Amino acid sequence: MRFAIEEINNSSSLLPNVTLGYEIFDDCEISIDIQGAFAFVLRPPEHAVKTAQFGNRYQPLVMAVIGPRTSDAAIVTANILSLFNVPQISFGATSEELSDKTLYPTFMRTIPNDESQIEAIVLLIQEFRWNWISVIGSSTDYGENGKRKVISSAIAVGICVASHGTIPQKTSESKQEIINIINNITANRANVVVVFTDIQIAELLFRVVVAMNITEKVWILSEATSVKRMLTEIPNIKRIGTILGIAAMRGKMPGFQEFVLKDVTVWNPGINQRVKYSDPQEERQECPENGFMPAFDHCVPCGSDGLRSLLQHSDWRVEFNVYSAVYAAAQGLHQLLQCDSGGCKKEGAHPWQWNDINWGQKVEALEELTGKGRGEVMEGVENEDENFEMKLLETLKRVNFSLHGMPIYFDGNGNLPTGYDIIYWDWKNEVVSFKVIGSYKSHPGQFQIDGSLIQWNSQGGEIPTSNCSSECQPGQIKVIVGFQLCCFICKDCAEGTFQSENECIPCDLNQWSPSKSTVCHNRHVVYLRWDASISIVIALGIGIGLILQLLIGAIFAIHLDTPVVKAAGGKLCFVLLSALAVSYSSVYSFIGEPSVGICITRKLLFTVSYTTCLACLLVRSFQLVLIFKMASKLPQAYTYWVRYNGQYIFVFLATIIEIAVSFIWIFSKFPIFERNYDLSKTEVILLCGPTNLFLSLLSISGLISLSLLCFVFAYLGKNLPKNYNEAKYIAFSMALVLISWIFLFLVLVSSSESYIPGVEAAVVLLNSYSITVGYFFPKCYIILLKPERNTTTFFQTCIQEYTRNRVTQQP
């Protein structure tokens, strides 16, 4: 403060021709602070405030007050000074309470408030991913408010407070309370401790911590204690762990070192200044005389603690706050007195004040000079006085200047919106240096830190962890245990779900996921693809089958009038061949991605065409039995059957009935097209028709019934003449058909549905080939290779032989 005032008084640009004076009071006790505050507002020789007589016309002794440093003291003095509209600029009081202008309208400060400090502390904790902390405060307003704010701010961003405690001011009670607090910290396994106390309580705290052999903790100190040499001198404090802190930003004060050394030299004429150090980074020599210490590249005597503290502080943090507070007050006065480089328009701070004349003498003189009454004169003095005081306070609030590169101005709450340095206690050769590893600026809220500058005092030198629970791995969610959000167990997300923030969200129906997954994967769509090997084989089989139908049709057309063709059904064979061709073609609908339309087409083409095929074979089997075994017994029925083309009518009716049943099935609630998600976790299987065994049997019950009837009638005609042995071939064909259906049902029951489309296509193809091979190949064989059997004579011979055998066999 003295340095700043001497600079201002020697300045020709700031308050030219105006000399600032000062009075200094110690602020080591609240009682002394109160005495100082009243001394500043009382004008000798009155030493009393005559409020009944003068009201708020009373004039204080000083224009502004610089200090005090602590929040508790500042709150007390601000309550007194604000009564007299005396501006107060503190250089160290950070309590958030002092930002309330309704309670402390004249208070300002050149240090950021606790809100900024606490935000910097919380950001520091978040930087290293700690979420399990303990908080210690002192029983002062500064400690209590700071502790409460740290807890609320930490909880607001998801940091949990494992424990917190308050250390009382009374030494007799504080030691045991500190032991209890440390035991709680140890029991809760919190490795990060925030300390929000004044220096005396902090010193006692760390002495107890060292005595209890607490190690490998991270201690985060508030601004009041983070750069105090008193703490670094506690024996073995280095063992307690890593110490970080928040400190006011340092500023530049050119010439201050020389100013201090000049005073020290005056006070101690025997100082040896012969030893100098050119580079602070170089290895320093010891001072040659006992009782001296290095300071500012000089050897100075080891004097009192206050002198030692002053000399060892060369980064000027709180000192710069004092310096800037004095300059802020001077700037306010400079503007108030309307000064410029040449001088000030107003000669003094109180233009109405007459040297040493007190208020009573001033009022009497004004009455004589003006001839006005006492009340009128006092009212005028009051108005002038109040206007002056308000102008001074408002002028101080509006100051805005740069002091050696540091912007100085006050916001609406009287706070200096600068910021803080992040401090790391760097131990080298048992001597600590307060290394700046980062910074925080409240406007616009910037936080930066270089963690690589920290040498962690922990096992392996790794960053200590301080978490109630280890972080969950990807694909896991937190399940809170107890009432602390930071204490949880990790639970894997189940199959079919994925982790999003702290939820396991089910995947979409067309997606899948393994357990402990963070994403869902698209299911593989399973159907009979055209490029699959089985599809190629089936397509080749379809092509061959269709070619065979054309060849057989051509052979039968050429030999239409031969006995073999007539015995096979004559023109009805072409109906059968056409139906078989459609049945072959329907297999194409089994290949490729199915849809509702394709499934409907598949069902209509196959069931209707194959029903026609079976109806033709059933008619043929029935006719053989009717001709050879029932014509003589039921001659009239046989006549009607032949006369009215019963075979064509039956085939037509069977086909129409199947078409009707198919449409009923399609428009009913029976499934036509299905996406099956149950059989595979990673696949969706596209299927036509029901996959349920009972419904599958029901859907082809008509075909199965016709196949059984064909087999039964064909079996009845097994002893017919050799050239009329179609019954044997039909029975063989139907046996193949029934075996293929049984195979399909076994697949439905025992195999994965992913094979069903290929099996269904193969079964339909096999059914078509069963009729082609079992019924038409023998006839083509006779037509092409055994033409001697394809004559009327040969057929008649076979019939006569069959008749003789039947007569012989009759009793």
Side-chain angles (χ1 to χ4, degrees):
M1 189 202 71
R2 290 177 47 239
F3 173 65
I5 288 180
E6 287 193 17
E7 278 192 340
I8 294 168
N9 287 340
N10 292 327
S11 173
S12 59
S13 59
L14 181 60
L15 291 175
N17 299 323
V18 174
T19 300
L20 297 179
Y22 56 85
E23 288 193 21
I24 298 177
F25 275 77
D26 199 345
D27 68 347
C28 61
E29 294 290 344
I30 295 296
S31 59
I32 299 178
D33 295 322
I34 295 173
Q35 294 176 24
F38 276 112
F40 291 146
V41 298
L42 297 178
R43 295 188 58 82
E46 293 175 341
H47 300 294
V49 180
K50 300 179 181 179
T51 56
Q53 181 180 358
F54 296 105
N56 56 12
R57 294 188 300 275
Y58 183 80
Q59 294 300 300
L61 174 65
V62 298
M63 292 297 302
V65 174
I66 308 299
R69 175 171 182 172
T70 65
S71 296
D72 289 0
I75 290 172
V76 172
T77 56
N79 279 305
I80 298 172
L81 297 175
S82 62
L83 295 174
F84 301 91
N85 287 326
V86 175
Q88 176 183 6
I89 307 175
S90 175
F91 50 86
T94 59
S95 175
E96 180 64 22
E97 180 183 347
L98 291 164
S99 295
D100 188 347
K101 295 299 104 178
T102 60
L103 297 177
Y104 310 100
T106 63
F107 179 84
M108 289 170 283
R109 50 186 156 197
T110 53
I111 187 171
N113 60 14
D114 282 341
E115 183 178 359
S116 300
Q117 180 179 186
I118 289 166
E119 185 174 353
I121 290 174
V122 171
L123 290 173
L124 176 61
I125 294 170
Q126 288 182 300
E127 176 70 21
F128 296 104
R129 301 181 183 275
W130 298 318
N131 65 4
W132 190 239
I133 66 171
S134 290
V135 184
I136 301 175
S138 57
S139 59
T140 61
D141 288 341
Y142 172 78
E144 286 283 7
N145 293 335
K147 185 190 77 172
R148 185 179 67 254
K149 288 280 187 179
V150 168
I151 292 173
S152 60
S153 299
I155 292 174
V157 296
I159 299 171
C160 296
V161 179
S163 64
H164 60 87
T166 302
I167 303 174
Q169 292 291 95
K170 292 183 179 181
T171 307
S172 59
E173 302 174 359
S174 57
K175 185 173 182 180
Q176 184 57 48
E177 185 60 28
I178 290 173
I179 294 174
N180 295 337
I181 291 172
I182 299 302
N183 286 336
N184 285 336
I185 292 172
T186 304
N188 286 287
R189 299 177 291 106
N191 292 327
V192 175
V193 185
V194 179
V195 180
F196 222 99
T197 67
D198 53 33
I199 182 60
Q200 290 80 12
I201 296 297
E203 181 184 15
L204 181 58
L205 167 67
F206 286 117
R207 289 189 182 277
V208 175
V209 170
V210 171
M212 294 179 67
N213 197 29
I214 303 299
T215 60
E216 298 191 5
K217 302 290 184 185
V218 177
W219 305 87
I220 301 177
L221 309 185
S222 66
E223 182 276 335
T225 57
S226 61
V227 289
K228 293 297 184 182
R229 292 284 172 182
M230 184 187 302
L231 298 182
T232 68
E233 295 172 356
I234 296 175
N236 298 317
I237 191 173
K238 180 181 178 181
R239 297 186 313 186
I240 68 173
T242 306
I243 300 179
L244 307 175
I246 308 297
M249 283 190 170
R250 58 188 171 189
K252 297 178 181 178
M253 294 185 291
F256 185 54
Q257 294 181 2
E258 291 75 12
F259 178 82
V260 173
L261 283 175
K262 181 183 68 174
D263 274 0
V264 172
T265 304
V266 172
W267 299 334
N268 301 272
I271 290 180
N272 186 342
Q273 299 188 30
R274 291 173 298 175
V275 180
K276 298 182 181 293
Y277 311 105
S278 59
D279 187 350
Q281 302 299 324
E282 294 179 0
E283 183 178 356
R284 295 184 174 183
Q285 306 175 36
E286 295 293 334
C287 289
E289 300 180 18
N290 293 332
F292 285 81
M293 59 179 287
F296 312 144
D297 302 340
H298 295 74
C299 281
V300 297
C302 299
S304 64
D305 289 341
L307 178 61
R308 178 181 300 183
S309 176
L310 175 64
L311 295 177
Q312 287 182 338
H313 279 69
S314 59
D315 52 359
W316 317 132
R317 296 183 183 279
V318 176
E319 291 80 358
F320 183 79
N321 292 345
V322 179
Y323 185 68
S324 58
V326 175
Y327 264 91
Q331 288 283 349
L333 284 171
H334 184 87
Q335 297 177 26
L336 184 64
L337 298 178
Q338 301 176 15
C339 301
D340 54 28
S341 59
C344 299
K345 294 181 180 180
K346 291 186 178 182
E347 294 183 356
H350 300 288
W352 65 87
Q353 187 174 1
W354 292 3
N355 299 326
D356 294 329
I357 299 177
N358 62 23
W359 268 86
Q361 293 172 326
K362 178 179 178 180
V363 173
E364 291 176 359
L366 287 174
E367 286 177 341
E368 293 178 2
L369 290 173
T370 61
K372 296 180 180 179
R374 187 176 184 85
E376 190 176 358
V377 170
M378 290 179 63
E379 183 179 356
V381 173
E382 176 184 349
N383 292 338
E384 182 181 17
D385 183 26
E386 183 178 0
N387 186 46
F388 175 80
E389 290 172 358
M390 293 308 294
K391 278 185 177 179
L392 176 57
L393 183 58
E394 294 301 320
T395 302
L396 284 173
K397 290 180 179 179
R398 291 196 298 269
V399 296
N400 191 337
F401 62 100
S402 178
L403 188 59
H404 301 303
M406 182 74 75
I408 307 296
Y409 63 96
F410 301 102
D411 62 16
N413 293 323
N415 299 319
L416 188 67
T418 53
Y420 287 99
D421 285 335
I422 312 300
I423 301 298
Y424 160 61
W425 285 23
D426 188 11
W427 293 90
K428 292 181 180 178
N429 300 323
E430 302 302 321
V431 177
V432 71
S433 63
F434 302 122
K435 180 180 289 186
V436 177
I437 59 172
S439 64
Y440 169 79
K441 294 182 179 179
S442 56
H443 295 277
Q446 295 178 341
F447 178 85
Q448 59 181 11
I449 188 171
D450 186 357
S452 64
L453 298 176
I454 304 174
Q455 293 182 354
W456 300 98
N457 191 356
S458 61
Q459 289 185 355
E462 300 293 329
I463 299 176
T465 59
S466 188
N467 305 92
C468 181
S469 302
S470 300
E471 283 299 314
C472 293
Q473 298 178 5
Q476 295 181 323
I477 61 171
K478 300 175 182 178
V479 179
I480 305 299
V481 177
F483 61 91
Q484 288 279 19
L485 295 178
C486 303
C487 300
F488 50 82
I489 59 174
C490 295
K491 179 182 178 182
D492 294 350
C493 285
E495 293 182 352
T497 64
F498 70 98
Q499 179 249 330
S500 176
E501 294 183 354
N502 198 41
E503 289 185 275
C504 290
I505 299 177
C507 293
D508 185 72
L509 196 58
N510 290 312
Q511 295 179 318
W512 72 280
S513 68
S515 61
K516 200 177 176 182
S517 177
T518 58
V519 295
C520 289
H521 308 282
N522 291 329
R523 285 181 183 251
H524 177 64
V525 181
V526 177
Y527 55 88
L528 194 59
R529 301 176 184 274
W530 282 99
D531 56 354
S533 300
I534 187 173
S535 299
I536 297 173
V537 172
I538 289 173
L540 184 62
I542 295 170
I544 294 173
L546 290 174
I547 292 172
L548 289 176
Q549 302 312 301
L550 290 175
L551 292 175
I552 293 171
I555 293 171
F556 273 48
I558 295 172
H559 302 87
L560 181 61
D561 295 329
T562 61
V564 170
V565 175
K566 290 180 179 180
K571 295 179 180 179
L572 188 62
C573 291
F574 296 102
V575 176
L576 177 56
L577 288 171
S578 299
L580 273 178
V582 175
S583 179
Y584 276 110
S585 301
S586 70
V587 182
Y588 281 122
S589 64
F590 287 83
I591 306 174
E593 184 175 357
S595 62
V596 175
I598 291 176
C599 290
I600 292 174
T601 302
R602 179 189 301 181
K603 181 169 182 59
L604 287 175
L605 286 179
F606 170 66
T607 56
V608 173
S609 63
Y610 207 69
T611 296
T612 303
C613 293
L614 293 177
C616 292
L617 293 178
L618 179 59
V619 166
R620 186 59 189 150
S621 301
F622 176 74
Q623 282 181 328
L624 291 174
V625 174
L626 186 65
I627 293 172
F628 289 96
K629 295 191 175 184
M630 300 179 63
S632 58
K633 299 178 180 179
L634 299 171
Q636 190 172 1
Y638 174 75
T639 303
Y640 278 110
W641 177 267
V642 175
R643 182 184 302 171
Y644 297 106
N645 295 313
Q647 56 183 353
Y648 294 105
I649 294 174
F650 179 80
V651 171
F652 177 76
L653 289 176
T655 303
I656 293 297
I657 292 172
E658 182 58 35
I659 293 174
V661 170
S662 296
F663 274 104
I664 292 173
W665 182 279
I666 291 170
F667 291 106
S668 66
K669 294 184 179 180
F670 293 106
I672 298 298
F673 172 70
E674 286 186 352
R675 291 177 176 268
N676 193 299
Y677 301 94
D678 301 328
L679 296 180
S680 174
K681 297 175 182 177
T682 63
E683 298 174 338
V684 51
I685 303 173
L686 307 185
L687 297 170
C688 286
T691 56
N692 179 271
L693 180 61
F694 174 76
L695 291 179
S696 299
L697 286 171
L698 186 63
S699 66
I700 59 172
S701 57
L703 298 179
I704 294 176
S705 299
L706 289 176
S707 300
L708 288 172
L709 286 174
C710 283
F711 181 79
V712 170
F713 280 108
Y715 184 78
L716 292 175
K718 64 181 184 300
N719 295 324
L720 296 178
K722 285 193 300 181
N723 272 25
Y724 287 89
N725 59 0
E726 286 90 350
K728 295 180 181 179
Y729 301 130
I730 293 174
F732 175 72
S733 300
M734 291 304 99
L736 291 178
V737 169
L738 291 174
I739 290 172
S740 64
W741 288 124
I742 292 171
F743 175 71
L744 176 61
F745 294 140
L746 290 175
V747 171
L748 288 175
V749 171
S750 61
S751 300
S752 170
E753 288 190 1
S754 58
Y755 298 108
I756 289 178
V759 174
E760 285 182 335
V763 168
V764 171
L765 195 62
L766 179 60
N767 289 344
S768 300
Y769 268 104
S770 297
I771 298 175
T772 301
V773 173
Y775 187 73
F776 286 105
F777 271 24
K779 294 171 177 51
C780 292
Y781 172 77
I782 293 174
I783 293 172
L784 296 176
L785 301 178
K786 299 292 183 178
E788 67 275 7
R789 296 183 183 180
N790 191 16
T791 60
T792 304
T793 304
F794 184 79
F795 268 76
Q796 288 176 350
T797 303
C798 291
I799 292 171
Q800 291 173 0
E801 184 178 349
Y802 173 78
T803 304
R804 284 196 300 269
N805 291 336
R806 288 198 63 186
V807 172
T808 304
Q809 293 174 1
Q810 290 179 355

